[in-house]
Amino acid sequence: MKFMEPLQEKAHSMWLGTIEMLPLFFIAAIVLFLTWCVSAVLTHLLRQSFKRSNIRPSLRDLFITLTKVTLWTIGVLLAVTVIFPSLTPAKLLTVLGLGSVAVGLAFKDIFENFFAGILIMLRKPMRINDYIECEGISGRVEKITVRETYLREVDDQLIVVPNSFLFKNPVYILTDLAIRRFDLVVGVAYGEDVNKAREVIIGALENIEEIDQDRGIEVYAREFNASSLDFTVRWWAKSDPLSMHVSRDRVVTAIKYGLDNAGIEIPFPYRTLTFKEPLSLTSREEDSKTE
């Protein structure tokens, strides 16, 4: 069976080549093992050092991940060059550079969110447990990763938002400070005294515990509305959503009781109807007599 001889020779040469490369595989395995050891030790040291700093947990995880990726990339490149001596690091980097262009085009959105996440962690003042609003989306920041941000709405629904969305659009950080200002519009009847109404509103809010009295209470005449003279009422309270609802409830209730006790009318909307011709009015008694 002479036709089998080339196959046998090829198999024999491949076997010999494999035997010859076993030491190289062993050295490459040692390189990967050393890479794992260095990565584990350096990661442990980074975690210990970060515990003594005020760095954000998400930024800490990012640094650790980037360190691992860098070490393993170097270790894998060294192992490959050990097994295949003809492949120099320069050639490998060239191949990786050409491949990265194709990968970058294919995964454009993923890389965009990745770099946006890094910039958010480095630059944005957004923190874990902050309440934010962005283009109709609002919630408490629960977690920030390198690709997306997890927002927990006040009704406990979870929203996963791409980091590029938060980076490109204006973000309102509602709890950046512990105290912020709230506004409310209050209308009184046109026949009421403006200064008296203002004094009553201010007096009604002076004893509310939820209001930061040191920041003051502001009441301004706002505009002439259809049925009322409107005031803008401003006060300072805690910035989280629950405290906002509580303070607004106390303010509305106190203003209502205060104006009622002072005899100041909070008007309903009025409608004035006009007719081109006079209307004749008849009583029910006249209608019954006619029948």
Side-chain angles (χ1 to χ4, degrees), residues 124-257:
K124 294 287 183 178
M126 189 170 60
R127 302 157 298 185
I128 302 298
N129 292 325
D130 269 336
Y131 283 88
I132 67 171
E133 289 183 0
C134 180
E135 296 295 317
I137 297 176
S138 62
R140 178 175 57 85
V141 179
E142 193 170 87
K143 184 180 180 182
I144 303 175
T145 67
V146 293
R147 290 190 59 248
E148 62 262 335
T149 297
Y150 294 80
L151 298 182
R152 183 72 64 177
E153 292 187 314
V154 292
D155 58 358
D156 269 352
Q157 294 188 71
L158 181 65
I159 305 177
V160 181
V161 184
N163 286 331
S164 60
F165 178 82
L166 296 177
F167 188 76
K168 293 178 180 179
N169 295 297
V171 177
Y172 296 89
I173 304 176
L174 305 181
T175 52
D176 181 56
L177 298 176
I179 301 293
R180 70 184 181 100
R181 193 187 69 190
F182 299 97
D183 296 347
L184 179 69
V185 177
V186 179
V188 300
Y190 278 106
E192 304 295 343
D193 184 85
V194 175
N195 292 326
K196 180 181 178 181
R198 182 186 292 109
E199 293 174 359
V200 169
I201 294 173
I202 293 176
L205 304 183
E206 287 179 343
N207 296 322
I208 297 179
E209 296 180 356
E210 288 75 12
I211 293 180
D212 186 357
Q213 301 293 339
D214 294 336
R215 302 295 291 268
I217 300 167
E218 304 172 38
V219 180
Y220 302 103
R222 176 188 179 98
E223 62 182 350
F224 297 98
N225 212 329
S227 305
S228 62
L229 176 63
D230 290 347
F231 291 90
T232 296
V233 182
R234 293 176 174 174
W235 71 96
W236 296 82
K238 292 182 178 180
S239 56
D240 62 279
L242 178 59
S243 299
M244 180 270 291
H245 288 295
V246 172
S247 68
R248 188 176 294 273
D249 172 77
R250 301 291 190 273
V251 168
V252 172
T253 302
I255 292 176
K256 178 65 167 62
Y257 283 137

Side-chain angles (χ1 to χ4, degrees), residues 78-96:
L78 290 176
V80 171
T81 54
V82 169
I83 298 174
F84 304 102
S86 60
L87 288 177
T88 62
K91 292 181 179 179
L92 286 175
L93 291 175
T94 302
V95 173
L96 291 176

Side-chain angles (χ1 to χ4, degrees), residues 97-123:
L98 295 175
S100 63
V101 174
V103 172
L105 294 176
F107 298 94
K108 174 179 177 296
D109 293 337
I110 295 177
F111 286 111
E112 184 180 25
N113 290 321
F114 176 79
F115 289 115
I118 294 176
L119 293 176
I120 287 175
M121 294 176 187
L122 292 175
R123 297 173 55 190

